[in-house]
Amino acid sequence: MLHNKAMKEITKNRFLSLQFVDELSMILGMSLGDFTSAIENANYKSFEIPKKSGGTRLISSPDSLTRKLQSKLYVYLKSYYHSVHPKCVHGFIPKFKAKASHHIKANAQVHLGMPYLLNIDIKDFFHSISTTRVRSLFANSPFYFSHEVSTALALLCCYERKLPMGACTSPVISNLICLQMDALFIKWSNEQKIKYTRYADDISFSSMMAFSHKQIEDIRTIIQNERFEINEKKLRIQSRYTSMWVTGIKVNQKLNVNRTYIRNLRAILYDIKTNGWEKACKKHFHLNENTKNEEELKSKFYFKIKGKIQHIGYVKGYSDEVYSKLNNQFLGLQIL
């Protein structure tokens, strides 16, 4: 049996050697005619979900055939990106190993204890990447696919002339699009003696010195030149004299979670213990008289609370006293 690394290399090279659309359709397990028909007649179901920060996020979910094709393509794209991705990128990294080192905790860890922090959010990250840009990605280095192959890949991966949120290929394509921006920021950060990480559309810089106006303008210029736009509402400059956050994790002296997060969790656990799962679910998980399949929602509520507790252990460490107490309280509750 081939080693995992060897398999990734074979998969990557097979994808990079594509010359014609019929070869693309073949590796995706479909005849050329059926493949052409599938990408020309792809259907998506669009719906909105609420954001934690307010407002809504548009999700476009592909039909089953399109999803199947994208899933097969994703195997090739992740094999290539895994071989070239920068260590400073922590979001949407393929996990080929059980102990993957790219996640929100690793992203935050880089900036732990630094006196000054700058967080930037890219506006409409996926939707700002057009079909034309995706086609250009595949037509140029390192792929150099033909116009026909590049167009077919762009049509398969895009919806309404942009990268959709809801397609499994969108995260890895966005990372491929950002390779040049990451390279520019790595070079610039090394010159400035600044630390840089990116988690999807969240960009973080930390420094021993306060950020100068020129440094911030340099960052703006690189982002704009890479055809992205900064979400000005989410641009934050923080210092050690205030709470400093990277991808939702506090990085002042040790990795930590928001106190409000813990207080709310304690209140929910107390409510469950006092009033039972059903009443607590109605209060905290918006279960009401018109809700269908109450048992399923109560089960989701149970696993949501469990997940929140595990997140505390994940960030603070599973030997942390706060985590241990909350987890023991949860385990001591009567099961649904």
Side-chain angles (χ1 to χ4, degrees), residues 87-103:
K87 292 181 179 179
C88 60
V89 178
H90 296 274
F92 307 144
I93 303 298
K95 293 176 173 58
F96 286 101
K97 297 180 181 179
K99 294 183 178 179
S101 60
H102 297 279
H103 39 65

Side-chain angles (χ1 to χ4, degrees), residues 138-281:
F138 291 120
N140 294 289
S141 176
F143 301 107
Y144 293 116
F145 292 146
S146 67
H147 176 76
E148 290 75 18
V149 171
S150 300
T151 300
L153 286 167
L155 290 174
L156 174 59
C157 298
C158 294
Y159 173 62
E160 293 187 338
R161 300 183 180 181
K162 58 182 179 285
L163 211 57
M165 294 188 69
C168 66
T169 45
S170 292
V172 68
I173 288 176
S174 69
N175 272 343
L176 288 166
I177 291 284
C178 286
L179 276 173
Q180 180 169 297
M181 182 176 74
D182 291 328
L184 291 170
F185 274 136
I186 290 168
K187 182 177 183 296
W188 179 83
S189 297
N190 288 338
E191 293 171 351
Q192 300 293 317
K193 297 182 179 180
I194 286 173
K195 294 183 178 182
Y196 161 72
T197 63
R198 182 176 63 82
Y199 193 98
D201 56 349
D202 288 325
I203 297 175
S204 298
F205 299 91
S206 58
S207 174
M208 295 300 296
M209 306 291 291
F211 290 94
S212 68
H213 176 74
K214 184 181 184 308
Q215 285 175 328
I216 295 174
E217 288 307 305
D218 286 345
I219 293 169
R220 285 185 185 278
T221 299
I222 290 174
I223 291 174
Q224 289 169 0
N225 286 348
E226 290 303 308
R227 291 180 282 172
F228 288 114
E229 183 181 350
I230 293 174
N231 186 341
E232 298 294 343
K233 294 180 180 179
K234 292 187 177 181
L235 190 152
R236 302 188 308 279
I237 300 175
Q238 305 166 66
S239 75
R240 58 188 161 189
Y241 304 109
T242 61
S243 294
M244 300 167 68
W245 302 90
V246 175
T247 48
I249 297 177
K250 191 174 181 180
V251 295
N252 287 65
Q253 295 180 331
K254 62 178 182 179
L255 299 183
N256 211 338
V257 297
N258 195 309
R259 291 180 182 178
T260 303
Y261 182 95
I262 295 173
R263 282 198 299 267
N264 290 342
L265 191 49
R266 282 175 176 154
I268 292 172
L269 291 175
Y270 179 79
D271 201 2
I272 295 169
K273 181 180 180 181
T274 305
N275 301 307
W277 282 98
E278 186 170 348
K279 288 184 178 179
C281 185

